[in-house]
Amino acid sequence: MPAKIDSLGNWRRTHYSKDIKPSEEGKEATVFGWVSGIRNQGGIVFIIITDKDGVAQITVHKNKISKEVLSRVESLSDHASIAVKGKIKAMDKAPNGAEIIPDGVKVLALPQKTPPFTLYAKTLPSIDKRFEIRAVDLRRPEALAIFRIREKALETIRGFLKDHGYYEVNTPKIIATATEGGAALFPLLYYDKEAFLTQSPQLFKEQLVMPFEKVFEIAPAYRAEQSRTLHHLSEFLSIDVEEAFVDYKDIMNTIEKMIAKLHASISKECNKELETLGTKVPSIEKIPRMTYDAILELLKGKDAQVEWGDDLTSELLDKIAEELPSYYFVIDWPTKSKPFYIKPSSNPEISESFDLMHGSLEIASGGTRLSSKKELINRLKEKGLKPKGFEYHLAVFDYGMPPHAGFGLGFERLLMVLTNQKNIREVSVFPRDQFRLTP
Ligand code: ATP
Ligand code: MG
């Protein structure tokens, strides 16, 4: 006999899973969720349901329940969507210390297929297999833990920036010309003209320090990355900050405080999630600053072949990470390795720039910006870019652009650190890469 599907009718939730606790003992509750575990123990069936906040235990005593409710319970399997009405009872061994003894159950949806992975499996099928049904994959406890941490991390960073007086802004994602040159841009048709998706809000945020002084934006950035790595997406969430009347050292101080605050709040408020992921978020106070030159010395001490001016390739970064496994800044990069808007220091070969690293992973890039139009034009030319293409940007520099500095931070990269993930795709709900445009 095919199992019966009930309608929602007039049942509405009275409690979330987190509210099923000993202090509610004796109260009537209606809970909703999906079945994430069933255990049949002779005369008792334990059903675990998951809702947006966590899990609750439904304890069914077979001989104390109507045949009708029992037949519904027996039709259940993992992922079934159900509603339960019953009484809350304190129970030490249950999640949150209480369970529900049901007197009514509605079956709202039953799975027609079994996913190619179980919820608690230690070994999983390939990421591509799982991502075909990503929303189902996201029901695994590890995935749920990652996204609860993501939510908290975003809230903490936004709160930190607001508390420190930054204005939140939103800038266009469709643009006319390249920010830093043509590579890695996605072209699109804008009415009858060619346009691009932004790879960074860099130029907009710099302009916005004129009216707002301290700005931040949390928004997607798009890059047509040509290599498939474990830390590049085609669309990622960029946290961008720009501030007037400061230089790159002040900005690094701000980042240091932000990371310290982030680690403190995740380790305090995401205990359960970190435990599910089998990881810890250490407390951070100071982030060491290493000059580019000091990093080259470190590399030479490890027999690496590297010349002054070289970029730090992933092989080199792996060697550095052996010595510096946590956060560190690499500062004072060769001017020629940084974009045109970065300010050279008193020695023009070296720039007022930094990368925030975690082991071998780049988390953020920033620096003091050029605020003189003349110098910007020179640097554009040196980089082989045409100043004419940047006229709309350079125009405002004629009206008293203050000295300013800032950074761009890849939020998914930071999440990889917090949640201890090796593949950036695991921390994005629907990742985009060279080979993935669905779901
Ligand atoms: P990488 O060298 O790792 O490709 P980048 O130096 O080109 O990064 P920036 O232009 O400095 O990147 O962008 C600022 C930050 O944005 C980076 O430090 C990184 O955290 C993040 N980021 C850049 N590209 C990507 C990407 N394709 N996917 C995810 N995050 C990215
Ligand atoms: Mg960078």
Side-chain angles (χ1 to χ4, degrees):
M1 191 181 71
K4 189 170 164 319
I5 299 298
D6 301 301
S7 65
L8 181 62
N10 59 4
W11 285 32
R12 290 295 178 272
R13 189 190 320 251
T14 61
H15 290 68
Y16 284 99
S17 60
K18 68 172 171 14
D19 306 316
I20 307 300
K21 50 192 178 191
S23 60
E24 294 288 286
E25 167 136 284
K27 287 202 183 138
E28 289 290 335
T30 304
V31 293
F32 287 82
W34 55 275
V35 175
S36 54
I38 305 174
R39 215 158 23 99
N40 223 314
Q41 280 194 349
I44 303 181
V45 185
F46 297 100
I47 304 167
I48 300 297
I49 63 165
T50 297
D51 67 12
K52 73 179 192 67
D53 292 330
V55 297
Q57 176 173 304
I58 319 296
T59 306
V60 183
H61 296 268
K62 288 185 183 170
N63 60 1
K64 290 189 194 154
I65 203 158
S66 73
K67 274 215 175 72
E68 204 195 321
V69 175
L70 191 59
S71 81
R72 283 183 167 74
V73 167
E74 281 168 348
S75 75
L76 297 177
S77 58
D78 278 0
H79 294 287
S81 176
I82 68 171
V84 177
K85 256 188 213 284
K87 251 203 183 66
I88 300 173
K89 185 164 164 265
M91 164 56 71
D92 277 356
K93 286 188 200 136
N96 296 321
E99 60 186 0
I100 298 172
I101 310 295
D103 39 51
V105 170
K106 281 193 179 197
V107 179
L108 302 170
L110 282 176
Q112 308 297 307
K113 288 186 178 173
T114 310
F117 47 84
T118 59
L119 290 164
Y120 301 95
K122 282 272 172 286
T123 50
L124 291 167
S126 73
I127 202 163
D128 288 323
K129 194 100 209 119
R130 284 190 284 124
F131 280 37
E132 283 170 15
I133 46 169
R134 178 61 163 155
V136 182
D137 179 51
L138 289 172
R139 282 182 159 180
R140 288 182 304 106
E142 288 85 3
L144 286 172
I146 288 172
F147 288 93
R148 289 197 182 111
I149 292 172
R150 186 184 198 278
E151 236 249 328
K152 188 78 220 162
L154 204 50
E155 180 189 317
T156 306
I157 290 173
R158 182 175 264 120
F160 174 91
L161 292 169
K162 283 184 180 289
D163 289 348
H164 285 75
Y166 292 86
Y167 266 68
E168 183 161 9
V169 297
N170 291 97
T171 64
K173 300 302 143 208
I174 302 176
I175 53 159
T177 41
T179 311
E180 299 167 31
L185 279 170
F186 286 110
L188 59 92
L189 198 60
Y190 190 68
Y191 303 100
D192 57 350
K193 281 203 277 292
E194 183 179 55
F196 303 93
L197 290 174
T198 54
Q199 48 184 185
S200 144
Q202 181 64 31
L203 305 185
F204 292 117
K205 66 175 175 168
E206 284 197 58
Q207 295 194 26
L208 290 177
V209 303
M210 292 188 82
F212 303 130
E213 246 183 68
K214 299 173 80 168
V215 296
F216 77 98
E217 175 166 16
I218 301 178
Y222 302 90
R223 298 200 187 178
E225 303 285 0
Q226 292 312 322
S227 57
R228 192 170 196 236
T229 77
L230 294 178
H231 53 277
H232 286 94
L233 294 171
S234 311
E235 175 172 358
F236 67 95
L237 197 69
S238 184
I239 299 186
D240 276 274
V241 170
E242 204 66 31
E243 179 170 358
F245 311 117
V246 294
D247 70 10
Y248 74 133
K249 293 194 170 142
D250 302 297
I251 292 291
M252 284 189 280
N253 292 340
T254 301
I255 293 180
E256 194 169 67
K257 281 195 215 127
M258 186 174 88
I259 296 287
K261 166 89 199 190
L262 179 65
H263 273 237
S265 86
I266 296 298
S267 81
K268 180 159 164 249
E269 293 176 56
C270 298
N271 263 316
K272 269 205 299 211
E273 288 77 12
L274 292 169
E275 204 177 295
T276 301
L277 294 168
T279 188
K280 287 202 167 81
V281 170
S283 89
I284 300 285
E285 280 175 26
K286 287 276 166 223
I287 299 180
R289 296 171 193 194
M290 307 275 293
T291 61
Y292 173 85
D293 288 8
I295 291 287
L296 289 203
E297 285 308 309
L298 184 156
L299 282 169
K300 283 180 184 148
K302 295 178 84 69
D303 292 331
Q305 294 294 319
V306 57
E307 300 282 330
W308 195 89
D310 286 355
D311 212 353
L312 300 177
T313 59
S314 58
E315 292 72 30
L316 295 173
L317 289 170
D318 285 342
K319 282 194 189 283
I320 301 168
E322 290 167 9
E323 305 304 316
L324 297 163
S326 183
Y327 293 105
Y328 59 99
F329 288 106
V330 181
I331 66 169
D332 301 346
W333 288 76
T335 303
K336 66 170 188 188
S337 70
K338 286 290 171 187
F340 72 90
Y341 47 78
I342 291 284
K343 187 178 186 232
S345 62
S346 50
N347 168 1
E349 298 288 300
I350 290 172
S351 61
E352 296 197 6
S353 57
F354 64 81
D355 276 6
L356 172 67
M357 305 292 301
H358 185 278
S360 60
L361 190 65
E362 181 186 319
I363 308 291
S365 283
T368 313
R369 320 304 190 182
L370 280 173
S371 48
S372 140
K373 182 171 172 176
K374 211 173 120 217
E375 288 175 70
L376 275 170
I377 290 174
N378 287 339
R379 286 285 296 140
L380 278 166
K381 286 184 188 154
E382 276 172 33
K383 287 255 157 199
L385 295 165
K386 292 198 180 72
K388 201 156 173 47
F390 292 85
E391 258 171 4
Y392 70 94
H393 175 60
L394 297 172
V396 301
F397 284 69
D398 284 331
Y399 297 87
M401 174 62 82
H404 59 283
F407 69 88
L409 178 151
F411 183 58
E412 286 87 357
R413 300 250 180 112
L414 191 53
L415 269 180
M416 288 172 74
V417 172
L418 295 173
T419 62
N420 193 27
Q421 297 301 302
K422 299 279 169 283
N423 190 336
I424 195 167
R425 291 160 187 80
E426 300 286 2
V427 304
S428 167
V429 277
F430 296 115
R432 290 286 174 262
D433 65 34
Q434 215 176 336
F435 305 103
R436 178 172 293 284
L437 198 49
T438 58

